[in-house]
Amino acid sequence: MMSVLMNTIVFEDCRNQWSVSRPLLGLILLNEKHFSELRASLINSQPLPKQEVLAQCFRNLMEGVEQNLSIKNRDRFTQNLSVFRRDVAEALRCDGHTEPCSLDMMS
């Protein structure tokens, strides 16, 4: 389920990020090991120059997010997710073209 939600955020036109962010945070907190594996998979699948940018995107995603599901914490994660989605899309663009690089992060 976490893979599906991450794919939706990163690769699809997710118009309602709020409805995706709520279950995603719970899944991340429930299984941090799997989230770390997904993060590593995406980062390692990219060329070396993009890897540090993506690593920073993932650090920013969890910045200020605590290990609970309080309303304040969920709202913070939703805000971070919006920025994460935009930053990852920019990072995955190939050589400055408008089309994102082709990859399958979570197959």
Side-chain angles (χ1 to χ4, degrees), residues 22-73:
R22 298 316 209 203
L24 182 58
L25 177 58
L27 290 170
I28 289 170
L29 296 178
L30 186 62
N31 196 343
E32 291 182 47
K33 182 181 178 217
H34 186 63
F35 177 67
S36 294
E37 291 167 359
L38 292 175
R39 178 180 60 225
S41 173
L42 174 63
I43 291 169
N44 293 331
S45 71
Q46 296 302 302
L48 210 48
K50 293 183 181 183
Q51 288 183 7
E52 181 53 38
V53 174
L54 288 176
Q56 186 61 50
C57 290
F58 276 99
R59 284 190 293 272
N60 292 346
L61 174 62
M62 299 309 291
E63 184 176 312
V65 176
E66 300 173 0
Q67 296 291 322
N68 65 60
L69 293 173
S70 70
I71 292 172
K72 179 181 175 184
N73 199 48

